[in-house]
């Protein structure tokens, strides 16, 4: 089940193998980050929402990009930005469902954004946060300006 709808169901692994524990599924990382920033009530609320049939996933990034642009513009006018946590994902409906991916974007008070993710058997969140990216203003992959974030969402 790839961690349940919101990733809070832990995956198995050898407890004493640190690399197994450190390099987790993206859904587990997303769930842990949501708990860290928002608490367990928010981290598990997707189970209830998805189970009720009241809310369907959005397709594409247009609505999200428009929402972020509005929020960012408000922050520019006020001179400070509201910290917000967004859970995003790319899903597959066929036999490639295991190739789905989720990540978390955290809007920071200074107007930058954290793009936080891991990928099972490839890299941990800590490794991702240290990954160099000369195409970003920050020089690392996980910290983006507003325009850099919009570019990634295209």
């Amino acid at each position: 089940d790839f961690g349940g709808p919101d990733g809070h169901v832990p995956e198995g692994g050898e407890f004493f193998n640190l690399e197994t524990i450190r390099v987790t599924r993206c859904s587990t990382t997303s769930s842990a980050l949501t708990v860290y920033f928002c608490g367990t009530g928010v981290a598990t609320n997707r189970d209830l929402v998805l189970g009720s049939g009241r809310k369907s996933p959005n397709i594409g990034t247009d609505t999200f990009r428009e929402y972020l642009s509005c929020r960012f513009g408000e922050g520019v006018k006020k001179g400070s930005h509201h910290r917000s946590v967004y859970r995003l994902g790319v899903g597959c409906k066929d036999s490639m469902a295991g190739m789905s991916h989720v990540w978390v974007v955290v809007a920071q008070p200074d107007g930058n954004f954290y793009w936080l993710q891991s990928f099972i058997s490839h890299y941990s969140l800590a490794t991702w946060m240290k990954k160099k990216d000369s195409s970003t203003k920050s020089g690392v992959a996980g910290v983006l300006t507003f325009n850099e974030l919009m570019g990634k969402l295209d």
Side-chain angles (χ1 to χ4, degrees):
D1 70 3
F2 299 102
D6 66 6
H8 73 277
V9 179
E11 68 269 17
E14 294 180 41
F15 183 73
F16 294 106
N17 181 340
L18 186 57
E19 189 62 15
T20 298
I21 293 170
R22 190 173 67 87
V23 183
T24 63
R25 272 194 318 255
C26 57
S27 58
T28 305
T29 298
S30 176
S31 178
L33 288 167
T34 305
V35 169
Y36 176 78
F37 285 109
C38 305
T40 56
V42 172
T44 58
N45 70 357
R46 291 194 68 229
D47 285 342
L48 300 174
V49 170
L50 292 173
S52 71
R54 291 181 290 150
K55 183 177 181 183
S56 61
N58 290 332
I59 306 298
T61 62
D62 291 343
T63 304
F64 182 59
R65 290 168 45 83
E66 184 178 324
Y67 176 77
L68 276 180
S69 294
C70 180
R71 293 292 302 264
F72 187 77
E74 290 172 356
V76 169
K77 286 179 191 172
K78 289 186 339 186
S80 67
H81 299 270
H82 182 73
R83 176 173 282 143
S84 301
V85 178
Y86 305 101
R87 295 176 284 191
L88 304 170
V90 176
C92 301
K93 292 184 178 183
D94 57 15
S95 62
M96 298 296 288
M99 299 303 289
S100 298
H101 188 60
V102 295
W103 61 96
V104 173
V105 172
V106 183
Q108 296 298 305
D110 66 0
N112 287 312
F113 296 83
Y114 291 162
W115 181 291
L116 306 172
Q117 66 183 25
S118 68
F119 195 75
I120 192 165
S121 300
H122 292 281
Y123 56 86
S124 66
L125 175 63
T127 302
W128 170 256
M129 291 301 295
K130 294 175 189 170
K131 182 179 182 216
K132 303 290 183 205
D133 185 345
S134 61
S135 70
T136 64
K137 183 178 178 183
S138 68
V140 293
V143 181
L144 306 171
T145 65
F146 174 75
N147 289 332
E148 291 166 348
L149 177 63
M150 291 294 110
K152 285 184 80 92
L153 293 172
D154 272 344

